[in-house]
Amino acid sequence: MQLSGCIALVTGGGSGLGAATARHFAASGANVAVLDFNAEGANAVADEIGGLALQADVSDEAAVSAAFGKAITHFGSAPRIAVSCAGVGMAARIVGREGKLSFDVFEKTLRVNLFGTYNVMSHAAILMAELDPLADGERGVIINTASVAWQDGQLGQAAYAASKGAIASMCLPAARELAQSGIRVMAIAPGLFHTPMMEGLPEEVTAKITANIPFPARLGEAREFAMLAEQIVENPFLNGTTIRLDGAVRLPTR
């Protein structure tokens, strides 16, 4: 599937990896719906690329359904491409100081990262299945965002690792199920990237983190995530797999 002329919906598109993906797709000729919980961020990116801004909480089923409806009304068709980048990175020990539990963090993290991704994938799939197939029988591509924490989560990342591990784990069964409709499902597991969260860290902390990355010895650029997303869209034999994008990093215990 070629990006040019396609309709794509990108969640978390108001900043970070999602914004880079929205910009890259638009530069390649796609019509992009930028969905974000932060309306200001969504509007800024959409205005920049000539796309459509959508505000929604990805964990809210009704809100996501309405957002897809607005995209269809605006573009005249359902998206053939859905990229889920929306997520939170909350950290907390299972049992913290003075015996404080962190179930609230676990619940919110899974609700946004996992339930939100599943929600978007579900709505995208049901709409893509109704589209006319392209020449090779393909109707759509769904790209979800896991994390290297899926395999080497650090101390305090039990909730985050669980949410991202579930995204990686559901990639293959989702791809097998949706194959009958000509829909591919892939996941990207990024390592340490330049994102708003990382950019807020002190320089010495960033230097320490970067020292663990074998090559290239730097943080990943958001555009490199977008480049891989483009390759997934355009390479029809990529399906049912989670790809680590990490410069060969393996996260230490803490």
Side-chain angles (χ1 to χ4, degrees), residues 193-211:
F193 273 69
H194 273 296
T195 62
M197 180 177 67
M198 292 294 293
E199 289 164 4
L201 295 175
E203 185 175 338
E204 61 273 17
V205 174
T206 300
K208 183 178 179 181
I209 291 172
T210 305

Side-chain angles (χ1 to χ4, degrees), residues 3-6 8 10 18-34 45-46 48-52 226 230:
L3 273 172
S4 182
C6 276
V10 180
T21 301
R23 293 186 181 105
H24 190 77
F25 280 16
S28 296
N31 298 302
V32 184
V34 181
V45 174
E48 175 188 337
I49 65 174
L52 170 67
E230 178 184 30

Side-chain angles (χ1 to χ4, degrees), residues 80 82 121 124-125 128 140-144 178 183-187:
R80 284 195 184 272
M121 179 171 65
M128 289 175 183
V141 182
I142 296 170
I143 303 172
N144 297 326
L178 299 179
I183 300 168
R184 294 186 287 120
V185 181
M186 288 287 293

Side-chain angles (χ1 to χ4, degrees), residues 59-77:
S59 68
D60 184 330
E61 195 274 337
V64 169
S65 178
F68 271 97
K70 290 176 183 177
I72 292 171
T73 299
H74 181 83
F75 293 115
S77 177

Side-chain angles (χ1 to χ4, degrees), residues 18-160:
T21 301
R23 293 186 181 105
H24 190 77
F25 280 16
S28 296
N31 298 302
V32 184
V34 181
L35 187 153
D36 204 288
F37 184 74
N38 182 331
E40 184 177 351
N43 282 317
V45 174
D47 288 346
E48 175 188 337
I49 65 174
L52 170 67
L54 299 168
Q55 192 283 327
D57 175 352
V58 292
S59 68
D60 184 330
E61 195 274 337
V64 169
S65 178
F68 271 97
K70 290 176 183 177
I72 292 171
T73 299
H74 181 83
F75 293 115
S77 177
R80 284 195 184 272
I81 304 162
V83 185
S84 282
C85 295
V88 294
M90 303 169 70
R93 293 176 182 244
I94 298 168
V95 180
R97 294 179 180 176
E98 300 177 356
K100 178 177 171 55
L101 301 181
S102 59
F103 182 77
D104 58 334
V105 172
F106 189 88
E107 183 176 42
K108 181 173 181 179
T109 301
L110 264 69
R111 180 162 296 281
V112 176
N113 293 358
L114 176 58
F115 293 2
T117 297
Y118 187 88
N119 191 16
V120 172
M121 179 171 65
S122 300
H123 282 280
I126 197 169
L127 293 170
M128 289 175 183
E130 297 174 353
L131 295 172
D132 292 333
L134 300 176
D136 59 358
E138 189 169 32
R139 286 188 171 87
V141 182
I142 296 170
I143 303 172
N144 297 326
T145 303
S147 164
V148 295
W150 150 54
Q151 292 179 314
D152 36 275
Q154 297 180 289
L155 190 152
Q157 285 190 328
Y160 185 71

